[in-house]
Amino acid sequence: MKHFDGSSCLYAFSPQMQSIGSVLPGERFSVKTHDCFHEQIFSEEQTLSEIDYDRLNPATGPIYVEGARPGDLLKITIHDIQVADRGIAMVVPGEGVLGDLVEKGIIKVLPIENNICRFNTFEFPIEPMIGVIGTAPSAVSGTWGTASPWTHGGNMDTRDITSGSILYLPVNTDGALLALGDCHAAMGDGELCFTGLEVQALVELTADLIPGVSQKWPMLETPDAFMVIASGDTVDEALREATEQAVSLLKTGMEMTFEEAYLLASLYVDLKISQIVDPKKTVRASIPKTVLSEERLRSTILCPAKG
């Protein structure tokens, strides 16, 4: 299996990125990722002033996917996420929903063993996920730091981007140029206080191509649902973007009028907050597969363009 060891990473997604290697469509490969602090935190006695904030959110890559061309869709199957034996969590004054109430920053170094995290005297199960994963943005979109989410993916911090899920990302340049990092051993929806349980990880995945299929926002497939992941300057903006694409998927996939699809969405689509602590806020609109089946989605939406 081809392996990318994390020795080459980036801090911004741009159309001009230079690849560190390549994979074939359908080839299974592994990627080692750094924690979001690039391993700068090793003790709870450290202070926030010791952190080099220019080294936050490294993403391993970019990886060139052979045959990927602008206008295609990159289908990324996440097979497995193995995390390190400890994770870092942090409270920072001024950051997160209640940052104005924080009087003193704290650092927690939390041990992980047998898929269990120990927090003080308590134990909790881990649920590993990928925080940052994206492709090269379009020339029009420009460069995006790895701290931000946008149409190319990036720092979406969506807890459903996990083992067994399939992520669909746009291809804006030859090779797609995939990069990923910022894995979390655990994170609640919203990432309320600025961090998840930040960890190094080893991710196994496969990248396939759907030629001639485009979409505005990343889409995620879980065993039970299809999710539109959208971002905006505010949660309201992100909610509107996610809702609009979810209704569009229902309209096309179910062969309905806009009004019918909008009504169906009100009955069955769940709006969920992914994160509210990054430069852009991220939400997801979740469409159950009991409503929009895999067969309908693949035959009407995720089907190669003709001609």
Side-chain angles (χ1 to χ4, degrees):
M1 186 189 306
K2 191 171 290 186
H3 175 63
F4 298 90
D5 64 6
S7 58
S8 295
C9 58
L10 54 88
Y11 296 92
F13 289 91
S14 78
Q16 297 81 29
M17 297 186 296
Q18 298 298 310
S19 67
I20 63 170
S22 65
V23 295
L24 295 170
E27 178 183 2
R28 187 159 172 161
F29 59 99
S30 64
V31 178
K32 181 181 178 181
T33 65
H34 300 278
D35 70 39
C36 80
F37 303 108
H38 211 149
E39 289 77 63
Q40 295 182 78
I41 302 297
F42 49 87
S43 167
E44 294 184 349
E45 305 309 313
Q46 288 179 258
T47 63
L48 303 182
S49 62
E50 298 178 46
I51 300 172
D52 180 356
Y53 284 85
D54 290 334
R55 298 179 62 201
L56 297 187
N57 278 18
T60 302
I63 299 163
Y64 190 99
V65 181
E66 298 287 350
R69 297 292 181 265
D72 294 342
L73 203 58
L74 193 65
K75 175 185 177 183
I76 305 157
T77 302
I78 304 166
H79 300 292
D80 190 33
I81 305 173
Q82 296 291 325
V83 301
D85 61 2
R86 65 172 196 164
I88 309 298
M90 186 180 295
V91 174
V92 179
E95 297 288 353
V97 178
L98 304 178
D100 59 313
L101 302 181
V102 176
E103 297 180 358
K104 179 183 178 181
I106 64 169
I107 295 172
K108 287 281 192 181
V109 180
L110 304 179
I112 299 170
E113 185 176 3
N114 297 324
N115 294 320
I116 297 294
C117 161
R118 191 166 68 249
F119 189 115
N120 295 344
T121 59
F122 304 98
E123 294 185 340
F124 304 99
I126 62 170
E127 297 179 359
M129 52 161 283
I130 303 171
V132 172
I133 182 167
T135 55
S138 67
V140 172
S141 181
T143 298
W144 288 85
T146 51
S148 291
W150 199 236
T151 55
H152 66 285
N155 195 22
M156 296 178 285
D157 279 331
T158 296
R159 63 185 299 187
D160 296 296
I161 302 178
T162 188
S163 300
S165 295
I166 300 171
L167 181 64
Y168 299 89
L169 292 174
V171 176
N172 297 305
T173 189
D174 286 351
L177 301 180
L178 174 69
L180 60 146
D182 183 37
C183 289
H184 303 158
M187 190 197 83
D189 278 341
E191 199 179 21
L192 299 180
C193 86
F194 179 60
T195 76
L197 184 52
E198 312 290 339
V199 288
Q200 292 176 296
L202 181 65
V203 183
E204 291 187 13
L205 57 163
T206 300
D208 290 290
L209 296 172
I210 304 176
V213 175
S214 61
Q215 60 186 33
K216 182 176 181 180
W217 293 104
M219 186 170 70
L220 185 68
E221 179 180 350
T222 72
D224 302 316
F226 294 102
M227 302 180 183
V228 176
I229 304 173
S231 299
D233 290 331
T234 66
V235 171
D236 283 349
E237 286 184 14
L239 287 169
R240 181 180 175 91
E241 289 285 346
T243 301
E244 187 171 345
Q245 185 162 322
V247 171
S248 178
L249 291 177
L250 288 172
K251 178 178 180 293
T252 301
M254 305 294 285
E255 300 177 300
M256 294 178 171
T257 65
F258 168 82
E259 289 77 13
E260 289 174 324
Y262 189 24
L263 179 56
L264 185 62
S266 191
L267 301 181
Y268 289 104
V269 172
D270 290 324
L271 296 175
K272 304 180 180 183
I273 294 175
S274 290
Q275 63 78 27
I276 52 175
V277 297
D278 296 336
K280 299 278 188 182
K281 314 310 175 190
T282 305
V283 305
R284 59 202 190 277
S286 179
I287 308 171
K289 286 183 176 178
T290 53
V291 174
L292 180 60
S293 68
E294 293 183 48
E295 181 181 2
R296 277 190 170 274
L297 186 90
R298 300 190 197 289
S299 64
T300 58
I301 298 166
L302 298 181
C303 54
K306 297 182 175 62

